[in-house]
Amino acid sequence: MLVVMKHRATADEIDAVVDTIRELGYDARPIPGALRTAVGLIGNDGHVDTARLEGMPGVAQCITVTQPFKQVSREWKEDDTVVELANGTRIGGTEIAIMAGPCAVESEEQILTAARTLRDMGATVLRGGAFKPRTSPYSFQGLGEEGLRLLAKARDETGMAIITEAVDPDGVDLVAEYADIIQIGARNMQNYPLLRRAGRSDTPVMLKRGMSATIDEWLLAAEYLVAEGNHDVILCERGIRSFNTYTRNIFDLSAIPVVRELSHLPVVADPSHATGIRSKVVPMARAAVASGADGLIVEVHPDPPKALSDGAQSLYFEQFAELMEQSRVIARAIGRDLLPALASPTASS
Amino acid sequence: MLVVMKHRATADEIDAVVDTIRELGYDARPIPGALRTAVGLIGNDGHVDTARLEGMPGVAQCITVTQPFKQVSREWKEDDTVVELANGTRIGGTEIAIMAGPCAVESEEQILTAARTLRDMGATVLRGGAFKPRTSPYSFQGLGEEGLRLLAKARDETGMAIITEAVDPDGVDLVAEYADIIQIGARNMQNYPLLRRAGRSDTPVMLKRGMSATIDEWLLAAEYLVAEGNHDVILCERGIRSFNTYTRNIFDLSAIPVVRELSHLPVVADPSHATGIRSKVVPMARAAVASGADGLIVEVHPDPPKALSDGAQSLYFEQFAELMEQSRVIARAIGRDLLPALASPTASS
Amino acid sequence: MLVVMKHRATADEIDAVVDTIRELGYDARPIPGALRTAVGLIGNDGHVDTARLEGMPGVAQCITVTQPFKQVSREWKEDDTVVELANGTRIGGTEIAIMAGPCAVESEEQILTAARTLRDMGATVLRGGAFKPRTSPYSFQGLGEEGLRLLAKARDETGMAIITEAVDPDGVDLVAEYADIIQIGARNMQNYPLLRRAGRSDTPVMLKRGMSATIDEWLLAAEYLVAEGNHDVILCERGIRSFNTYTRNIFDLSAIPVVRELSHLPVVADPSHATGIRSKVVPMARAAVASGADGLIVEVHPDPPKALSDGAQSLYFEQFAELMEQSRVIARAIGRDLLPALASPTASS
Amino acid sequence: MLVVMKHRATADEIDAVVDTIRELGYDARPIPGALRTAVGLIGNDGHVDTARLEGMPGVAQCITVTQPFKQVSREWKEDDTVVELANGTRIGGTEIAIMAGPCAVESEEQILTAARTLRDMGATVLRGGAFKPRTSPYSFQGLGEEGLRLLAKARDETGMAIITEAVDPDGVDLVAEYADIIQIGARNMQNYPLLRRAGRSDTPVMLKRGMSATIDEWLLAAEYLVAEGNHDVILCERGIRSFNTYTRNIFDLSAIPVVRELSHLPVVADPSHATGIRSKVVPMARAAVASGADGLIVEVHPDPPKALSDGAQSLYFEQFAELMEQSRVIARAIGRDLLPALASPTASS
């Protein structure tokens, strides 16, 4: 529930509302706005005595948030959330962010080659898994902290921001030391201890949709992050499970305009995991941009046939160049654009 | 299986191959090409004695079609099929065809208003159901033949081609009398007697994907049409069933590039049934064009809140105008375009 | 909507209610009961003026049927429907009916061998397809009317009732000439012209659940049959489509108690199509009986490896004998039983 | 891969095989059997030089495990795994284990009342969540360690074994201090750090199937547990996600005979989560037993309408009594039985 204060409400009046909400047994969160402040009442608000709040000095009205998710809803916050990274990448604004890189960090040469090339092609965020959740215990599980160090090296050299996955609560702080965005993978979308820990981090979080998550469940998982205080949350549609077998998953692109209406959080699309087939990544990246996605995250590998994981869906560099070009044209066709490429580090020094 | 003839194979040599295939108990279909002719062996070809065919004069080689669907596969016919209608609309070429109109024909005024407006906005094919398959027996079931007559009247007045649904084998000829394209609906995708009858018609057929059809099942249903001799087949992706509930179905846009690779048939997309929500139709129409669809079929109603069926997903005219404009920009962005609008009948007289 | 008459309502009062309902633009159907008569108002009853009906002489009350399906609902008719066949088989009573036979009728010897053996093992209904809806146009499509004649011969010789599928409206009368139950297959669950024609037949109909049909859609399809006047409708759960691949479909056994609560129609289970794997048919047949199914329909073939269709899921006779024995024990464990075997025709002559 | 030793192979010969496997870069695990020993080669064994192993003294043959899961497969270990608990409960033998209790531990009175009553009714394992993974961050999240203490108290008083969920790696040891079985919930089926930690515990683990997990993914998740050394693993089918909405999930009972064929691990069924509807729990519990489940886990609450979670699917005690009786009859009908009730603690003192 939102308690909207009058335009001229005083700080004392706002404090009194906060105190009253706490007395009622809920958490209160002041949300300053350009014209007036609202105070969010956080928790299961089915039985709140709104009359008591509405009668307080300075209160304009109480607005019930009808959705099960609260702080991530458009009812709670009308303006789009824009997540800003240290290297200037903005996710959720007019311009579309491109994240790219290999499925897993495999070696210094591999990740540096990828970073340099992708940066030159216009990507501003580098993806690469250091901790890999794998279906079989006998598959390559990632380089661990060594992978994180290699990612940091790639950032230092190229200026790209880093996104990489944390797979358990204890790993969140470690990943946050090295990364600009902590990724929560599809298999962990409802790993609540992990969400809570990531929600207490200062680092932005990208939350992938679970393989069979409804949109409500996805937004409620995001609510776990925001409820702990981390408001820099990015959603990621990556395909859902279906009976269909030609593609690995069904890319639920309709979810993008649906989520944009329900929530103020930015939403990016992952055509690599959604299709699982290299030749389908470019057309579906175009479609994702056309549907209104705020960004793309794409798997690209310097030598896809030798990739230690997900080789069949990793693009060659030349395919990524084509994707950039086509996505840019589509973005402009709908009044947006891709984010500008990073300035060359040599040029800027 | 395809028996590919040598460049200089004579008519007699081709005839001999046809005769031999028939002796072996299969149907044979000569497929003339620019450079050389192939003879298709139609049927379950698991045990064909290819040595006997390969030894015949004029035969270059025998090619096994590995897919369960045969004549609709790219292996069988490499070039895109383009379906041409009497009013010049071409479906499957570089340009994208736009079909639009109300869910059901309701009255002369309704369908004529729709036809005039949509024609002026650039659609070249008018959709409208005369026979409506409805989930409940107590819902409006369409105007029947009277609806067909009203569609024909709209065609006469506007020059638009007509697409409307046939729901049983006996109705195919009746629909074919009035329509330029016979639609087979999603619920009837595996109604084989209906498919066989439509396969014996001279009128093009648009085959919607069944609600839970795999891509193989869909293409095998198209094979029923082609196996009976009707080669003017258009596929239509309209969303598949899923656990997701915000949208009526999941729009499986990845199926579009997948089908374009597997088959030479054109594929159009129906964002209205796929989403079931008016505000999501325009973004998903854009995404469909970006993914490579050869056409769109969209529900538009002169007065959506009063529609007798599917009102919640029907566009207002102004929304359709926006859809045309955005789709055109996207089409051009990927090197295609929308088909040109029909010349005004007055202007051309 | 049901207009329930008072205990002592006269025939004239009932007629007056019927007339009024028709004046209001709806169909009326008197439903005599042991204690009092109800009049069903058939159609989309959202805007009926109940006050006018409730004020009429002899009317006790108006009951709204809240479900979208009306005449098939428990609200409409509280008592279980029992479908009785000429050979004494009752489907929907305390005892459980067993239907068995090959997927398709292939030859006289095959179907007679199957019928004799299955009858001796206790099945009272013989299944066997004469018209087969097949995914590929090049697969065996059934013997057609010759298959029907062989089924009739098997009935004459063994006393078993016959269930076989009709695949198009024109075929309904032909099938009804030979069969005791017309089967509507899963692919045709929403083939409304077929349902309407079967609804006008005097022969009982078994309606299989569509591959991705919700329970509401399934019951609404049954409503099409009943709305046309055929009240002898049997439902059949046969598995629904899922992402799971070890079994052909997911056997939705929970649907059985759900449907039994929502509807008065009997519901049988088809473990053969639900699993698609011979070794899983017997355990799932047991589970279906335990969940409350009113019958089983099972594929059994005299020589499964040589079956022209569905061989991999067809039981050997000895497996069917085991199924009968185990199902009987389970049936008795829950206070039911299997229907008694048919008396030997020799014995009865 | 399994290296099967000859009947008379010496300990030295076995050690030599183990050493060679390790030299080849794999883990080796000797598996003594009644007649002969096998040595399991653990890891991704696609490129093992079997000739080298087959040529060693004492080696009878090398058997490739064709499934992606290895140690949990029947190919690896033919005999059923039986998990034994301290109070004598055996899961996976002829007799069927019954686990019951509230969704969440709410208070001492609630859990003790439940434990006493359920024990007297014949359950031998008490379920109850102390750490609850909840879709919304604002829902009741469980009593935490206090809940574990109350469970232990219930065990001390009644003799029941305890099953309760661990939700993060750090919580595994804490749960293992109090519980006889650590539950891994459906949302955490692919939480690999959690699985690895539970795999290093001495306490048996029950692994629920993920909401959209294929059977291969489920068994591969179990492989994580076994690969770490914990062989006391119980699988639990609890329904999978589908388009169907009457029941919360689709109870995939066919998975039970499928898993029993593929794996030697015991598999129990959870009709409470599978259906989500109190009135459907008893029939589906019967069906689960009939399909071959090795146990049931059921939600029962002393006062379901007041339950803090999952009240709508919790049984009343009298319904549980009915479930016990009906399940027992079905178990006996298929040659099994329920485990005997625990001796009364008073009687045993």
Side-chain angles (χ1 to χ4, degrees), chain D residues 16-336:
Chain D
V17 167
V18 166
D19 290 346
T20 303
I21 289 174
R22 291 188 179 143
E23 262 173 50
L24 291 168
Y26 298 90
D27 276 342
R29 178 161 175 265
I31 310 170
L35 289 178
R36 54 192 192 175
T37 290
V39 183
L41 178 156
I42 298 172
N44 202 332
D45 60 7
H47 301 290
V48 175
D49 177 4
T50 54
R52 179 163 165 199
L53 289 165
E54 284 178 336
M56 292 182 70
V59 170
Q61 61 173 323
C62 291
I63 298 176
T64 304
V65 178
T66 54
Q67 304 287 3
F69 40 90
K70 306 293 176 191
Q71 301 186 58
V72 305
S73 74
R74 282 262 179 222
E75 295 173 276
W76 188 275
K77 172 166 176 286
E78 208 180 323
D79 295 341
D80 287 353
T81 288
V82 178
V83 176
E84 296 204 46
L85 309 182
N87 77 341
T89 299
R90 291 163 48 91
I91 303 164
T94 305
E95 292 168 317
I96 292 165
I98 308 296
M99 315 180 185
C103 177
V105 181
E106 297 170 6
S107 70
E108 179 167 339
E109 195 200 330
Q110 175 239 24
I111 196 66
L112 286 181
T113 304
R116 284 178 208 127
T117 314
L118 294 169
R119 199 199 70 114
D120 290 348
M121 288 175 167
T124 67
V125 183
L126 178 68
R127 63 151 291 152
F131 300 95
K132 298 298 305 170
R134 300 303 299 277
T135 305
S136 165
Y138 309 126
S139 301
F140 172 62
Q141 311 266 327
L143 296 182
E145 189 166 0
E146 171 61 13
L148 296 178
R149 275 190 290 268
L150 294 177
L151 286 167
K153 189 159 188 179
R155 173 174 52 192
D156 292 346
E157 201 188 297
T158 63
M160 291 183 89
I162 299 299
I163 179 168
T164 194
E165 183 165 354
V167 297
D168 58 357
D170 293 348
V172 166
D173 292 342
L174 182 67
V175 167
E177 256 179 62
Y178 293 93
D180 299 277
I181 308 175
I182 301 165
Q183 177 177 312
I184 307 285
R187 290 178 180 85
N188 281 317
M189 192 200 82
Q190 293 189 311
N191 182 338
Y192 301 122
L194 177 61
L195 292 177
R196 282 214 197 81
R197 190 75 71 96
R200 292 196 291 271
S201 169
D202 290 334
T203 305
V205 175
M206 185 175 84
L207 178 66
K208 289 197 147 190
R209 181 178 181 184
M211 227 166 273
S212 62
T214 63
I215 287 173
D216 274 8
E217 289 168 347
W218 188 17
L219 292 175
L220 279 163
E223 186 84 12
Y224 267 89
L225 294 162
V226 175
E228 295 288 338
N230 191 339
H231 295 272
D232 285 332
V233 174
I234 303 156
L235 300 166
C236 177
E237 160 65 32
R238 45 75 75 205
I240 55 175
R241 184 141 268 177
S242 168
F243 60 85
N244 203 30
T245 50
Y246 267 106
T247 47
R248 190 200 267 190
N249 295 290
I250 297 286
F251 203 9
D252 183 13
L253 282 180
S254 314
I256 290 184
V258 167
V259 160
R260 300 234 38 170
E261 186 173 298
L262 294 172
S263 172
H264 52 82
L265 297 176
V267 55
V268 310
D270 176 348
S272 304
H273 286 87
T275 64
I277 312 170
R278 186 179 300 133
S279 66
K280 305 300 172 280
V281 172
V282 175
M284 297 321 290
R286 289 192 315 242
V289 171
S291 75
D294 294 308
L296 296 175
I297 181 162
V298 184
E299 289 191 359
V300 191
H301 193 283
D303 190 359
K306 296 212 178 120
L308 293 181
S309 59
D310 278 351
Q313 74 195 32
S314 294
L315 296 185
Y316 288 88
F317 286 135
E318 51 269 44
Q319 290 177 302
F320 180 71
E322 186 195 356
L323 178 147
M324 287 298 286
E325 191 174 345
Q326 298 193 347
S327 299
R328 183 174 289 115
V329 187
I330 302 272
R332 289 177 181 165
I334 57 168
R336 302 180 77 166

Side-chain angles (χ1 to χ4, degrees), chain A residues 22-38:
Chain A
R22 290 186 179 144
E23 260 173 51
L24 291 169
Y26 298 89
D27 276 342
R29 180 164 172 263
I31 309 170
L35 289 179
R36 54 189 191 179
T37 290

Side-chain angles (χ1 to χ4, degrees), chain A residues 199-216:
Chain A
R200 290 196 291 270
S201 169
D202 289 335
T203 305
V205 175
M206 185 175 85
L207 178 66
K208 289 197 146 190
R209 181 177 181 186
M211 224 166 275
S212 61
T214 64
I215 287 174
D216 274 8

Side-chain angles (χ1 to χ4, degrees), chain A residues 152-191:
Chain A
K153 191 161 189 177
R155 173 173 54 192
D156 292 346
E157 200 188 298
T158 63
M160 291 182 86
I162 298 299
I163 179 168
T164 194
E165 183 165 355
V167 296
D168 57 356
D170 292 348
V172 166
D173 292 342
L174 182 66
V175 166
E177 257 180 62
Y178 293 92
D180 299 277
I181 307 175
I182 301 165
Q183 177 177 312
I184 307 284
R187 290 178 179 84
N188 280 318
M189 192 199 83
Q190 294 189 312
N191 182 339

